[in-house]
Amino acid sequence: MDDIVQPTPIHPGDDHEHAESALPPHMRESVTKVPVTPDITRETYESDTSDRTRVPEPPNGHYFSRRELDHAIAPSPDADNTAQEGQTFQEKIDTGAREGHEFLRRLSEVVVGNTSSTSESGALMHDIRVKHPDLALTGNIISATFNIPHSLRYRKGADWELTPRRGQSALFDAFSYLSSDDIPWNHTVVAWTGEIEIPQDVPSPPGTPPSGPVLTPTDPPPSRAGPALAAEGLWIPKEDMLRLEHQLSHSNKIKTVPVWLADDADLTDEGIHLRDQARWRRYAEHELYTLFHYKQHEPNDGRAEKVQWTDYMRMNLRFANKILEVYKPGDIVIVHDYNLMLLPGMLRQRAPHMYIAFFLHSPFPSSEFFRCLPRRKAVLEGVLGANLVGFQSYSYSRHFVSCCTRILGYPSDSTGVDANGSRVEVGVFPIGIDAAKVARLAWSESVSQKYEALKRLYAGKKLIVGRDRLDSVRGVAQKLMAFERFLELYPEWRDKVVLIQVTSPTNIEEEKEDPENKISSRVNELVSKINGTYGSIGFTPVLHYPQYISQDEYLALLRAADIGLITSVRDGMNTTSLEYVICQRESAGPLILSEFSGTAGSLKDAIHINPWDLTGVADQINFALTMPMEQRRAMQESLLAHVTSRNVQYWIAGFLRRLVTVLASRRCVTSTPLLDKEVLRRKYEAAGKRLFMFDYDGTLTPIVREPSAAVPSKRVIEALTQLSRDSRNKVWIISGRDQNFLMQHLGHIEGLGFSAEHGSFVREPGQKEWENLAARFDMGWQKEVLEVFQRYTDKVPGSFIEQKRCALTWHYRLADPELGLHMSRECHKELESTVARKWDVEVMTGKANLEVRPTFINKGEIAKRLVLTYNSSPEDGGKVGFVLCMGDDFTDEDMFRALNGLCVPPQEGGSGAGELEEESCFAVTVGASTKVTLARWHLPEPEDVIEIVASLAGLPPKEHEAEKLETPKDE
């Protein structure tokens, strides 16, 4: 067994890659040997840092190219600093801690503005501050997390009892580091109090009537901890609430602002009445946690889910209110984990220019799983309120952007999502631990005593150690079954190997209540079966401790272990694996790690296993037990170098650095101002001759999946009818739709002019006949384009062809978004290289469509023709004094371009210039202010367009109509 070696990784360009290319995919190692969570190594994410003084050009969309700009802001520590030959364990620990501290210090120079620094990074930071002075970062960080770092015990009239909260140690270590005096940041944590432990002498809220029957002296006293108390809840007077807030805000470790959660009626000026405190975590744990770990509920009527969703929204709203109480412009807000996924969107609505980052500590599932969530759109939209979204693994980030495209229809790539006209960056930031702290604790005297006791107790035995939460995603059952398989396959190890499994109680309410899982019973059955089959009076192969153990006991177990075994079936960032590496400085015990764990990609030198392959896990246990010491030392050195260099300080500094990069790049984006309604109305009323040009889809009606469903609303028809009745107004619909569609929905409105198929056909107001502007153009190209479109329609289910008289459009809005986008690009290339070279046509990319039309036909030509025609008309005298042109698509940019040209003052040799006064010409794009456009104004939604048109037409505001409706009764 000593000759067994790990498979050699395959790199692009290797001869091996060419040799295996002839094999079918299921036999290629490059396919079968890649973990579910792909490797995340320094080489993958770090660019060449040999020239760090040069600020590179902004990246062009490649995922890893963003790292180059990050390095220009604050260079990363080199992982090789903790992998030097001859370094002692303590030197690695000290170097990693020092490098992480220096990393955050370099970043702080940029943000806080320590211009006195003469370092290279300080000069780079100063350069960025000069380029982006309006970023105005204050150096304040607000971290929003669900639970405060303490468990609380209430003591009436006295200071609250605060004990460290179990779990999330890496996150709380990051908070402690940001809050330390060594860091020039002002850090505040905003978090829920968590469930408050109820003391014995619980006060009651004012006016509470006695509960239960009146007792006689012979009756036994009621139990204060019984059901009556649970129904009554916990009353906390205002003075005790203020006492806790003072304690937390003056903590010498982490300054915390608590969020009190209760119904409005239970939160008064006198105090708060806490009832069913677990309700605030119920939706996140019942719906999100389970789904994110690939567990799906049975269908139900949704009534309980509706109640839980309401609590989830209210809880996120309370967080938003509390953050806004302490927020100042220029502060950075970092939101953590799935409990607060609506919070970024809520904050963005209330403070549009807030700097927001979101980090998900759990896995994120594929779109096929996530789309099962009834509230999927609201959850995604909430997260997209952030400027930056961080994940533990690249596969999680890839799933997220895919969900945004497949479920919300937003364009995305590996670097982020284009949502509502803004760019939301996505990145991978594997969390680390405070390696120096763990090393200090692991070699304390109390831990060493327990370690020596364990070594004496299990002298002559090999110890396999596992510490997991007792829930279905930690793979405890799979671990026990694999160990049973190991004892079956390798009988020589019986009586020589002991598995010590510690399973702490789950804090997920869903796991506690679900009778179908029966995890605890299943684990106990497996333990009994293994011990009964392979144990004896003097030997027990599995020791199961279903309990919390002290920190000293935990670290002593990790030090005494010969193998660390982690078999989670779906996990975020399992910090036990990182702590195990620190604790193995002496014995160098191998780490066996599930490829479904978030740490699998970071700890590339660990032994990766598939927990569902029991025989494979058993083989790797034997491999680890027989591994030569030299190989174990090499594995330990590599893992230790990673854990000590990529520590918690590196994680939080890297995350902040990326956020600063994103914020700085956003400042380069030009915003289109919102349409000024007062100026618009003033110019409209002063003009004697007015011209209106409206696009249809996305302007007068919202974009819909099925084009035939884009029917104008009653209000649109009323507004257009009323507007066209004024003899001073010329109202035109300039659309890519064909004549039949426009006539069917708007043809009954007298006074409307129409331009169909992007200007191919024109019908003057009051006329019945259409003029074909492309009549003399050879349409022989359509046959060739139709053949190409048909081939791609056959390849892409859900796509279809729309055949117009002068244009052909291939729609893929109903197809798989990723497949449709990919095939549209392929189709575009093919058309450009064939048909477009033979014919005078252009290939246009639209919203989930591809259109081919003659080059001389576009909306800009129609807009120009209308202005020149009405300016030369003798009626009403003079030129057009008011133009309102609205559109949302890139084809409408042709209109904006033509109008901008007509507004330019006349110049020598120019033709048609100076036809319009710039101040009276309103080119308006529909969409986000950050979209690239030639328009001078913008409106966010088609609804805003409709209300502008209705207002100019003299219709009453929409809210007046709403006032006529009966006010709904409270539920």
Side-chain angles (χ1 to χ4, degrees):
M1 301 300 294
D2 292 351
D3 295 331
I4 297 177
V5 295
Q6 293 291 82
T8 302
I10 301 171
H11 301 287
D14 290 351
D15 293 337
H16 184 86
E17 181 181 16
H18 299 292
E20 72 161 5
S21 62
L23 298 174
H26 70 279
M27 296 180 65
R28 299 179 195 169
E29 288 192 355
S30 60
V31 175
T32 61
K33 294 299 183 181
V34 176
V36 172
T37 303
D39 284 350
I40 302 175
T41 65
R42 179 176 65 85
E43 292 78 9
T44 303
Y45 293 113
E46 304 297 346
S47 304
D48 181 14
T49 59
S50 59
D51 181 12
R52 291 178 173 173
T53 61
R54 179 180 59 87
V55 179
E57 295 296 322
N60 57 2
H62 188 275
Y63 178 81
F64 302 112
S65 59
R66 175 66 72 184
R67 300 281 171 170
E68 298 176 3
L69 190 54
D70 287 349
H71 275 294
I73 290 182
S76 298
D78 193 336
D80 292 339
N81 290 336
T82 57
Q84 301 297 320
E85 186 176 355
Q87 266 185 330
T88 66
F89 172 81
Q90 192 58 47
E91 287 173 342
K92 291 180 184 290
I93 293 292
D94 293 342
T95 300
R98 184 175 63 254
E99 289 289 329
H101 177 78
E102 285 298 306
F103 183 21
L104 191 55
R105 182 193 61 77
R106 291 194 294 269
L107 179 64
S108 303
E109 289 178 356
V110 186
V111 178
V112 180
N114 182 14
T115 55
S116 61
S117 172
T118 58
S119 66
E120 175 185 336
S121 61
L124 288 169
M125 298 315 194
H126 178 70
D127 183 55
I128 289 180
R129 285 198 304 274
V130 171
K131 291 182 179 179
H132 309 284
D134 53 345
L135 201 56
L137 291 171
T138 62
N140 298 331
I141 298 177
I142 301 173
S143 295
T145 187
F146 184 57
N147 288 314
I148 65 173
H150 312 280
S151 294
L152 303 179
R153 182 176 176 83
Y154 173 50
R155 298 187 296 187
K156 185 178 184 298
D159 283 348
W160 292 64
E161 184 179 328
L162 310 181
T163 56
R165 183 177 296 275
R166 294 181 182 272
Q168 295 185 299
S169 58
L171 177 62
F172 294 152
D173 284 343
F175 289 167
S176 297
Y177 183 63
L178 285 176
S179 303
S180 66
D181 295 335
D182 297 334
I183 304 302
W185 298 80
N186 298 315
H187 182 235
T188 301
V189 172
V190 175
W192 177 43
T193 59
E195 291 90 342
I196 296 174
E197 187 176 345
I198 302 176
Q200 295 299 316
D201 53 340
V202 183
S204 297
T208 302
S211 60
V214 177
L215 302 178
T216 65
T218 59
D219 291 327
S223 172
R224 291 296 292 172
L229 180 59
E232 176 186 320
L234 174 63
W235 169 257
I236 301 177
K238 187 68 174 181
E239 55 268 24
D240 289 331
M241 295 173 63
L242 295 176
R243 182 178 289 109
L244 174 63
E245 293 176 5
H246 183 269
Q247 281 182 250
L248 295 176
S249 64
H250 289 78
S251 171
N252 58 0
K253 289 187 177 181
I254 303 175
K255 177 184 176 182
T256 306
V257 176
V259 177
W260 298 93
L261 296 178
D263 289 329
D264 293 339
D266 291 333
L267 185 58
T268 67
D269 293 337
E270 297 177 329
I272 188 171
H273 196 177
L274 302 177
R275 312 170 193 262
D276 187 15
Q277 299 181 61
R279 63 188 281 196
W280 305 108
R281 65 171 70 245
R282 204 157 285 151
Y283 181 84
E285 294 181 355
H286 281 218
E287 304 295 333
L288 299 180
Y289 177 88
T290 52
L291 192 76
F292 286 5
H293 290 82
Y294 288 83
K295 294 177 60 182
Q296 181 59 36
H297 294 298
E298 290 293 327
N300 55 64
D301 59 14
R303 285 180 289 186
E305 187 267 352
K306 182 178 180 181
V307 173
Q308 293 168 8
W309 171 254
T310 301
D311 286 338
Y312 186 73
M313 287 196 301
R314 293 170 59 201
M315 181 263 292
N316 276 261
L317 185 59
R318 291 282 178 86
F319 267 81
N321 293 338
K322 183 59 68 174
I323 288 173
L324 289 170
E325 290 179 10
V326 299
Y327 167 78
K328 297 179 180 63
D331 290 357
I332 288 175
V333 178
I334 303 178
V335 181
H336 293 272
D337 228 1
Y338 57 86
N339 299 89
L340 301 174
M341 297 186 82
L342 301 183
L343 182 55
M346 291 178 173
L347 292 172
R348 182 67 63 206
Q349 290 179 346
R350 307 271 291 277
H353 302 293
M354 183 182 287
Y355 304 145
I356 307 172
F358 176 83
F359 190 85
L360 184 67
H361 294 261
S362 74
F364 194 91
S366 70
S367 60
E368 294 305 311
F369 234 85
F370 186 79
R371 69 196 314 162
C372 298
L373 184 69
R375 314 285 179 171
R376 55 195 183 180
K377 291 187 177 181
V379 171
L380 289 176
E381 291 283 8
V383 175
L384 291 175
N387 301 100
L388 172 66
V389 181
F391 296 92
Q392 301 276 17
S393 148
Y394 176 69
S395 61
Y396 303 158
S397 71
R398 179 169 53 85
H399 291 160
F400 175 76
V401 297
S402 176
C403 284
C404 292
T405 297
R406 292 176 176 273
I407 295 173
L408 299 178
Y410 293 149
S412 65
D413 54 38
S414 60
T415 67
V417 182
D418 296 318
N420 301 314
S422 299
R423 179 71 174 178
V424 180
E425 291 285 335
V426 172
V428 178
F429 309 91
I431 200 170
I433 60 173
D434 189 339
K437 172 186 172 184
V438 173
R440 184 176 64 254
L441 294 173
W443 271 268
S444 65
E445 184 178 352
S446 58
V447 172
S448 294
Q449 290 175 354
K450 290 179 173 59
Y451 163 76
E452 295 296 338
L454 284 170
K455 297 302 286 186
R456 288 193 300 270
L457 182 62
Y458 296 103
K461 308 291 184 184
K462 295 289 187 179
L463 294 186
I464 301 176
V465 171
R467 199 287 295 265
D468 306 273
R469 225 172 36 220
L470 191 58
D471 56 42
S472 58
V473 303
R474 304 300 172 180
V476 178
Q478 284 82 354
K479 182 185 302 184
L480 292 170
M481 289 188 287
F483 184 66
E484 181 183 21
R485 181 66 172 154
F486 162 74
L487 294 177
E488 177 188 349
L489 292 176
Y490 300 94
E492 66 270 21
W493 285 110
R494 297 173 190 173
D495 297 335
K496 298 179 182 178
V497 178
V498 177
L499 171 62
I500 300 179
Q501 177 62 46
V502 179
T503 52
S504 56
T506 180
N507 57 2
I508 303 297
E509 189 173 313
E510 170 77 8
E511 299 282 1
K512 297 177 183 177
E513 297 178 353
D514 189 355
E516 295 184 3
N517 287 322
K518 300 179 181 178
I519 305 166
S520 179
S521 299
R522 175 62 175 154
V523 168
N524 290 333
E525 290 173 3
L526 286 169
V527 171
S528 299
K529 179 184 176 184
I530 296 171
N531 289 337
T533 303
Y534 299 103
S536 63
I537 295 178
F539 175 71
T540 304
V542 179
L543 299 175
H544 179 220
Y545 299 95
Q547 63 193 55
Y548 287 117
I549 61 175
S550 69
Q551 184 179 76
D552 288 354
E553 291 172 321
Y554 167 62
L555 294 174
L557 269 177
L558 294 187
R559 283 182 58 184
D562 294 285
I563 292 177
L565 182 57
I566 297 173
T567 56
S568 50
V569 297
R570 190 66 60 177
D571 205 354
M573 189 56 64
N574 191 310
T575 57
T576 299
S577 59
L578 306 177
E579 293 159 346
Y580 176 80
V581 171
I582 296 294
C583 291
Q584 284 296 309
R585 77 174 190 187
E586 296 173 345
S587 55
L591 172 63
I592 301 177
L593 181 61
S594 167
E595 66 184 37
F596 296 99
S597 170
T599 45
S602 300
L603 302 179
K604 61 184 179 66
D605 288 308
I607 301 174
H608 290 185
I609 51 95
N610 177 0
W612 301 102
D613 179 9
L614 303 183
T615 300
V617 177
D619 291 339
Q620 293 298 341
I621 292 175
N622 180 69
F623 170 60
L625 289 171
T626 57
M627 183 183 294
M629 177 55 72
E630 182 180 352
Q631 190 173 352
R632 287 165 51 184
R633 287 290 182 194
M635 177 186 293
Q636 170 67 11
E637 287 295 316
S638 176
L639 292 174
L640 187 61
H642 173 86
V643 174
T644 53
S645 63
R646 296 311 186 242
N647 50 28
V648 71
Q649 293 90 345
Y650 175 88
W651 169 70
I652 192 62
F655 191 53
L656 285 171
R657 178 183 66 175
R658 176 64 64 82
L659 180 60
V660 172
T661 304
V662 170
L663 296 177
S665 65
R666 291 295 176 272
R667 290 294 172 173
C668 301
V669 177
T670 303
S671 295
T672 305
L674 188 67
L675 179 61
D676 192 323
K677 299 178 183 179
E678 294 301 322
V679 173
L680 179 76
R681 174 165 290 280
R682 189 164 61 248
K683 292 294 183 180
Y684 171 78
E685 293 175 347
K689 186 186 292 187
R690 309 156 181 156
L691 175 59
F692 295 86
M693 291 176 283
F694 300 116
D695 174 42
Y696 185 79
D697 292 284
T699 302
L700 295 178
T701 63
I703 295 292
V704 293
R705 286 182 58 84
E706 179 58 50
S708 61
V711 178
S713 65
K714 179 181 177 181
R715 189 161 178 81
V716 168
I717 293 175
E718 289 178 349
L720 292 176
T721 300
Q722 193 67 25
L723 198 66
S724 60
R725 284 177 179 170
D726 192 325
S727 60
R728 294 171 294 179
N729 297 339
K730 304 299 180 183
V731 185
W732 282 76
I733 305 299
I734 302 179
S735 173
R737 294 281 190 168
D738 60 25
Q739 303 143 276
N740 293 334
F741 183 91
L742 295 177
M743 289 298 97
Q744 177 185 354
H745 296 291
L746 298 174
H748 62 282
I749 303 177
E750 297 182 4
L752 272 188
F754 294 96
S755 171
E757 298 189 25
H758 300 290
S760 299
F761 299 90
V762 174
R763 200 193 82 166
E764 297 285 343
Q767 301 296 321
K768 299 296 183 181
E769 299 299 325
W770 287 82
E771 180 184 359
N772 185 355
L773 300 182
R776 290 172 291 182
F777 187 76
D778 185 358
M779 293 295 174
W781 57 270
Q782 287 191 332
K783 181 179 178 181
E784 297 182 33
V785 173
L786 192 60
E787 291 176 356
V788 175
F789 277 172
Q790 188 58 56
R791 287 204 310 273
Y792 283 89
T793 302
D794 295 339
K795 295 178 181 178
V796 182
S799 64
F800 61 93
I801 302 170
E802 181 184 5
Q803 189 166 4
K804 306 171 186 177
R805 293 179 64 180
C806 292
L808 285 174
T809 307
W810 183 63
H811 295 273
Y812 56 90
R813 189 169 295 148
L814 301 178
D816 179 275
E818 294 181 359
L819 176 63
L821 180 61
H822 172 72
M823 297 306 291
S824 72
R825 290 169 178 166
E826 294 297 316
C827 183
H828 192 285
K829 292 178 183 178
E830 182 174 346
L831 290 171
E832 287 285 1
S833 62
T834 56
V835 180
R837 292 188 177 184
K838 294 170 54 180
W839 300 86
D840 193 13
V841 296
E842 59 182 342
V843 185
M844 308 292 291
T845 303
K847 292 184 177 178
N849 67 64
L850 206 61
E851 181 167 287
V852 182
R853 67 189 186 197
T855 54
F856 68 89
I857 295 176
N858 62 68
K859 293 182 178 182
E861 291 299 321
I862 295 299
K864 183 177 180 180
R865 169 178 169 161
L866 293 177
V867 171
L868 296 178
T869 299
Y870 288 127
N871 273 352
S872 62
S873 173
E875 63 180 17
D876 300 329
K879 296 183 177 181
V880 175
F882 173 87
V883 175
L884 177 59
C885 179
M886 293 181 165
D888 73 304
D889 205 345
F890 76 99
T891 60
D892 301 309
E893 296 297 320
D894 292 331
M895 291 195 292
F896 304 150
R897 182 183 294 106
L899 292 177
N900 290 341
L902 293 171
C903 291
V904 176
Q907 296 180 9
E908 184 177 354
S911 62
E915 296 288 340
L916 298 172
E917 292 184 9
E918 184 174 330
E919 294 181 353
S920 300
C921 182
F922 296 85
V924 183
T925 187
V926 182
S929 62
T930 53
K931 69 186 291 188
V932 179
T933 180
L934 294 171
R936 294 193 174 102
W937 306 91
H938 96 282
L939 286 173
E941 301 287 345
E943 283 190 10
D944 303 302
V945 173
I946 296 170
E947 290 312 303
I948 288 288
V949 177
S951 174
L952 296 178
L955 297 181
K958 192 174 183 179
E959 51 267 27
H960 289 180
E961 297 180 359
E963 291 175 359
K964 300 176 184 177
L965 301 176
E966 180 182 357
T967 303
K969 297 178 181 179
D970 295 335
E971 296 182 353

